[in-house]
Amino acid sequence: MNPDALTRGLLFLSLAVTGVPGNTIVICAFLSLAYHEGRLSPADAIVLHLASANLVVVAVRCLLEVLATFSVYNVFDDTGCKAVIFIYRTSRSLSIWLTFVLSAYQCLSVAPPGSRWAGVRVLVGQYLGVIFLALWLINTSMSVAPLLFAVGARNDSKLTQNAINVEFCFLSFPSRLSRDANGAAQVGRDVVPMALMATASLVLLVFLYRHSRRAEALRSGGARQGPSAERRAAVTVVTLVTLYVLFYGVDNGLWVYTLTVPQTLGSSLISDLRIFFSSLYAAVSPLVIIVSNKKVSQRAKDALGRCSAP
């Protein structure tokens, strides 16, 4: 195995061994919470859905890439390429939009009781299932290109004229225009929630600043106040959004570069970097959720304790 392939395999392996157990623990913790408490809050339901999407991202893309790189099992024939890239793109975009929904809901959660925004928060909680269904339908419909154009990698100059090289597969478009149009749609699908969640995060940062000033005033007056649940949740959301903007910003920058190159790249390095950075969010985000959510952290510790018990 050449050094480049080994490095690539080890990088994706690091994401798989971090992201699969991490997201699985978060999912099990929330399911345990729902079982013992009888329900999940809307914010917890969003995080559960987010962790499920992230698990699919890491398991379907990174784990299968590792198996193929180390010649354990290769699913990347024409059918496998269509299925893997379609599922990956759908779950990846779901992860992005669910992060936005989480940031927007948390932004509404800090609205004063009785205000119009507090009423909107109640409506979002009531129709959360409808929101999830709409996101599934929208993101699935916007990810159909791999089902039409993905093929297994092979030596065929005609096949790769307007293609995108993703190592074991090619996305072979019929024309440069169709490739660029698909690329623009993918960038728009990422940039819109990025702008919206950045705005929501600014609101949360203002809330955190005011909360810290209020806490300082109480401490100076002799009162002691621990961090509220709203403050902890706001910190979690701001951290997730920051990670999203960082990792997916690099991903989209590389994607735009790929679209500006007139010829199909002979190496899959740019596509590998894109997949790595977008999957890095899916692998790291459960650590943020576990550390910042006391209930989830306790459930995760209980689950790990049961697993390690003789």
Side-chain angles (χ1 to χ4, degrees):
M1 179 179 293
N2 65 68
D4 290 342
L6 179 62
T7 302
R8 179 180 182 277
L10 291 176
L11 286 175
F12 281 115
L13 179 62
S14 68
L15 295 180
V17 299
T18 303
V20 172
N23 284 291
T24 301
I25 289 173
V26 170
I27 292 170
C28 292
F30 275 112
L31 291 178
S32 175
L33 191 64
Y35 175 77
H36 287 91
E37 297 190 359
R39 61 182 295 275
L40 286 176
S41 68
D44 288 345
I46 296 170
V47 175
L48 173 60
H49 205 151
L50 174 62
S52 301
N54 286 337
L55 177 61
V56 174
V57 168
V58 179
V60 169
R61 198 65 170 128
C62 297
L63 191 56
L64 291 179
E65 290 276 351
V66 170
L67 295 178
T69 299
F70 291 108
S71 302
V72 177
Y73 182 69
N74 191 348
V75 301
F76 296 103
D77 55 9
D78 286 357
T79 303
C81 285
K82 293 179 188 296
V84 169
I85 299 177
F86 170 74
I87 294 172
Y88 165 73
R89 284 196 173 186
T90 301
S91 55
R92 171 190 177 278
S93 57
L94 273 172
S95 175
I96 295 170
W97 278 95
L98 286 167
T99 303
F100 158 65
V101 172
L102 179 63
S103 63
Y105 184 81
Q106 191 57 45
C107 189
L108 294 172
S109 297
V110 301
S115 66
R116 180 178 60 182
W117 293 114
V120 174
R121 180 190 64 203
V122 174
L123 287 176
V124 171
Q126 290 176 345
Y127 292 97
L128 198 58
V130 177
I131 293 173
F132 288 158
L133 178 60
L135 290 178
W136 270 99
L137 292 175
I138 292 171
N139 288 291
T140 300
S141 63
M142 292 188 68
S143 302
V144 296
L147 296 178
L148 301 175
F149 306 123
V151 295
R154 64 190 69 149
N155 293 322
D156 188 339
S157 58
K158 293 182 180 179
L159 191 65
T160 60
Q161 286 179 354
N162 299 295
I164 297 172
N165 185 348
V166 286
E167 184 61 25
F168 298 108
C169 307
F170 281 98
L171 279 170
S172 182
F173 293 92
S175 66
R176 175 75 183 273
L177 178 61
S178 61
R179 189 192 74 167
D180 292 347
N182 176 75
Q186 302 302 317
V187 171
R189 183 175 63 178
D190 291 357
V191 170
V192 170
M194 181 186 294
L196 294 174
M197 72 176 71
T199 303
S201 293
L202 288 176
V203 174
L204 291 175
L205 286 173
V206 172
F207 163 76
L208 291 172
Y209 173 74
R210 291 179 177 176
H211 186 279
S212 64
R213 294 293 298 272
R214 201 159 47 238
E216 288 177 3
L218 289 172
R219 282 196 297 268
S220 63
R224 299 187 65 180
Q225 184 183 33
S228 65
E230 290 82 3
R231 183 179 183 278
R232 289 195 301 270
V235 171
T236 302
V237 171
V238 171
T239 304
L240 288 174
V241 171
T242 302
L243 291 174
Y244 164 82
V245 173
L246 176 63
F247 297 148
Y248 281 101
V250 174
D251 174 11
N252 280 284
L254 293 172
W255 178 239
V256 171
Y257 170 76
T258 301
L259 297 175
T260 60
V261 176
Q263 299 293 329
T264 300
L265 295 174
S267 168
S268 65
L269 176 62
I270 300 298
S271 294
D272 289 343
L273 288 173
R274 287 186 54 239
I275 295 170
F276 176 80
F277 278 104
S278 60
S279 301
L280 189 57
Y281 173 79
V284 172
S285 58
L287 302 178
V288 177
I289 295 169
I290 292 172
V291 170
S292 59
N293 192 308
K294 287 187 175 181
K295 289 184 178 180
V296 173
S297 179
Q298 186 59 48
R299 295 292 179 186
K301 289 179 181 177
D302 293 343
L304 291 175
R306 286 194 295 269
C307 291
S308 60

